Structures are given as C-alpha cells and as structure tokens.
Amino acid sequence: MASVRKMQLHVPSLEEVATVLQKGVAANFGTAEVNVTDCPDLTKAPFFLADKGLCGNPRIADVGGVDYLMPLPNKDKKYDFSNVSDLSEIPDSFIVGAGAGPWHNVGVNSEMICNAKLGANATNLTKIVKIDEKDGSYVQQDEKSGEFCVLGNFFMSEAKPGKVLEIKAENRTGSLDFVECLHKALRDHYGVKAVGLGGTFILKSGKANIHVMPEFCTKPIRTAEETNNWLKFFEMDAPLVHLGELVSADPEKLSLRQQHFHCFSNHGQGGHYHYDTTPQEAVYLAYLNVADILYRVDLPDTCHDVLNK
C-alpha cells in the first residue's frame, strides 16, 4: 500500500476566489470574466466528460512524481484510479487529471488524460497520447485499463451539481499562459496558504504548444535543458479539452506538482499543455472547483523538481 500524506487546503469562498482570479486573468487577457455559476452538464459538448459535475467532497491527489521518471524511470511505479480514489477517502469518485500512461498496457511511455467515473455505472473515457517511434508522429487512443504509471495529478469529486467557478478569457495580452495566470493570482494573494483548484478548461480557438513524452529515456535526465531535448513538442489545434488541477503553494514541503493539465480532442490531438501559440486567437472557457483536501500519495524520497510544468 502506497504511503499517503493528508493536507487540509485553505478553502476560501468561491466568490472570494472569483475576485482574486478576475484580477489575474484581466492582467493577461484582453477579455476576462470570472463568475460563480451552476456547473453545466460536463458530459455534453464541448467537454464530453465521464460525469456531469465537479461538486461533492472535492479533493486533489498528487501521486508519485517526476522523480520516478528521472534521472532514470522507475518502471515499477504502477497505480490505478480506484486505489487513488480509495486512498483519497472518496471511493467511486469522478476523477479527472493528468499523468503518465500505463506503459505496460500501451507498450511505451505516454501522456494520459484521465476522465473516469468509478464504481456503479462506471464510465472510463480516459485517453493516452503516445509517440510513434518509427516516424516521430503522435497518436491519441482510448485507454480503458484504469491504470497509470510514475506520476499523476487528479481532481476528484462525487460529480454532484452545484456552484463552481466559470472563467472566460480571450485575446492573451500578457506573458503568462492560462494556467499560470490562475496559479500566480492565487499565489500572490494567499501566500503560503495552499488553495487548490481542479476541473476542466477548453481552448476553444487558436493553437497551443503541447508536449508528448516519447519512450522512456535510457540516459539520465538531470536538467531542464535535457528534459526539453527529450520531450517532443507540437503545435496543436483547438478545440482542446484540458483536465487537471493546480495548487497555489506547498507549505508542508510535499514536492507538489503545483499545476498539471493534459488535453484531448475529437480530432486526434492531445498531450501536456504549455501555452497558446496564437494569443490573439485564444479563447478559453473553464469550469473549476475549490478542493477541500490534498492527498500526497507515494511521495518520492528525493525530489529534483526538474519538470515544473
């Protein structure tokens, strides 16, 4: 059984968080609107998620970490959604997020976009994106095993209806990407108090810089430059649906991945989000909820903090 550290998050009201995020989004986008609203049915277009809502015991799980990926991969680090959900004290949850795909099922290392409802009436719409080692192209495919490897960052809930944050942003004018501007706004306002958000956002128009991990590296990776030389970067086309979580601070020194979102699409593109590459065309729509508790599962003994984003 994996070790678990439980951390109570700071939980301000949605209204307060909306005010904080409004300032951050407006500083980076020509059009910015952050409101508290009823969560729409996320199983419908344009999100196509495995369950409807983001409310009911909202929680975050940070599993494994980059230090199981580098300097050389620990291929023994294998996990599954149900176990993470149980360890996070919310069994049969609606779980979404970003991680590394199950290499033992896929055949190679890959990006995973977790999108699953566990338990009764289970629905698993999870996808992976992998590199075709023959020609260097990427392939998106379904991944129904409910397993992943090495690392994962997840938002979980009972998928109940309720109030959430709705964020609309268009025409990026600042230097920060969509996720980073949210993270910075929370970090600047709350300092060492850790506020966690999770859910989904869609890049509705424009293009984005996305990476896809290739097969595990056989040479040690120790620096950001070596990491970027190993990763495969692509410019991908909207609409891209992103799933993941962010946490504004790491006060208990748990080596948290403070922001992590992966995306999928209905046109075969997806992977790890970095930033939009056509800022004037960028249009974002997000539905996020504030998490109550963070669970740090299987914390590595040593932490190098090579892959921050």
Side-chain angles (χ1 to χ4, degrees):
M1 170 116 14
S3 62
V4 183
R5 293 276 299 275
K6 182 177 178 180
M7 183 177 81
Q8 183 68 49
L9 294 167
H10 180 58
V11 188
S13 69
L14 287 173
E15 289 76 13
E16 179 179 308
V17 176
T19 300
V20 172
L21 294 180
Q22 175 69 44
K23 189 178 301 183
V25 178
N28 282 275
F29 288 84
T31 299
E33 186 178 343
V34 184
N35 294 301
V36 177
T37 188
D38 291 319
C39 189
D41 183 346
L42 296 173
T43 65
K44 297 180 179 179
F47 294 99
F48 304 107
L49 300 192
D51 213 333
K52 295 181 177 181
L54 299 173
C55 299
N57 285 317
R59 296 176 177 180
I60 286 173
D62 187 321
V63 183
V66 172
D67 297 283
Y68 293 143
L69 180 64
M70 53 189 64
L72 289 170
N74 183 341
K75 294 186 178 182
D76 294 329
K77 290 297 179 179
K78 301 174 184 177
Y79 311 96
D80 66 76
F81 301 159
S82 292
N83 185 237
V84 170
S85 185
D86 288 344
L87 291 173
S88 302
E89 302 178 292
I90 181 169
D92 300 342
S93 67
F94 173 35
I95 178 171
V96 297
W103 65 266
H104 52 289
N105 296 327
V106 177
V108 293
N109 186 31
S110 64
E111 306 288 343
M112 180 193 68
I113 308 93
C114 171
N115 180 14
K117 171 62 176 73
L118 308 178
N121 302 314
T123 302
N124 190 350
L125 302 180
T126 296
K127 298 182 183 295
I128 61 93
V129 184
K130 64 181 181 180
I131 294 293
D132 185 331
E133 297 296 326
K134 294 179 180 178
D135 62 9
S137 64
Y138 55 83
V139 179
Q140 177 182 268
Q141 65 188 51
D142 295 336
E143 217 306 302
K144 302 291 189 180
S145 70
E147 297 177 305
F148 65 103
C149 291
V150 181
L151 60 89
N153 298 89
F154 307 101
F155 177 83
M156 294 167 289
S157 73
E158 296 172 345
K160 291 182 177 180
K163 298 293 185 181
V164 295
L165 296 163
E166 179 187 65
I167 305 171
K168 298 178 181 179
E170 300 181 21
N171 179 26
R172 181 168 61 83
T173 56
S175 62
L176 301 182
D177 66 71
F178 181 71
V179 176
E180 180 56 32
C181 83
L182 303 182
H183 183 266
K184 184 177 186 300
L186 294 176
R187 185 181 65 231
D188 289 351
H189 185 82
Y190 292 107
V192 297
K193 295 179 180 179
V195 176
L197 298 180
T200 184
F201 72 86
I202 182 170
L203 177 65
K204 298 176 70 175
S205 67
K207 299 176 184 293
N209 184 38
I210 305 294
H211 86 232
V212 179
M213 291 188 294
E215 179 57 302
F216 292 117
C217 196
T218 57
K219 297 180 180 179
I221 298 175
R222 294 189 173 90
T223 68
E225 182 180 4
E226 290 172 344
T227 301
N228 288 332
N229 288 337
W230 168 64
L231 295 171
K232 304 299 182 183
F233 290 86
F234 303 91
E235 186 176 63
M236 298 189 184
D237 304 307
L240 295 168
V241 178
H242 300 73
L243 301 172
E245 54 89 2
L246 65 88
V247 60
S248 65
D250 188 6
E252 298 186 14
K253 307 301 181 185
L254 298 178
S255 188
L256 300 179
R257 187 89 176 255
Q258 292 192 28
Q259 56 187 66
H260 199 187
F261 282 81
H262 284 181
C263 63
F264 71 92
S265 72
N266 289 323
H267 52 273
Q269 297 183 330
H272 177 110
Y273 170 82
H274 283 268
Y275 53 85
D276 57 78
T277 58
T278 55
Q280 292 183 339
E281 300 174 24
V283 177
Y284 291 92
L285 172 63
Y287 290 100
L288 304 171
N289 199 6
V290 177
D292 297 332
I293 304 171
L294 184 144
Y295 295 80
R296 187 63 175 98
V297 179
D298 199 17
L299 173 66
D301 292 330
T302 58
C303 301
H304 301 93
D305 197 29
V306 175
L307 260 179
N308 290 317
K309 296 178 66 179

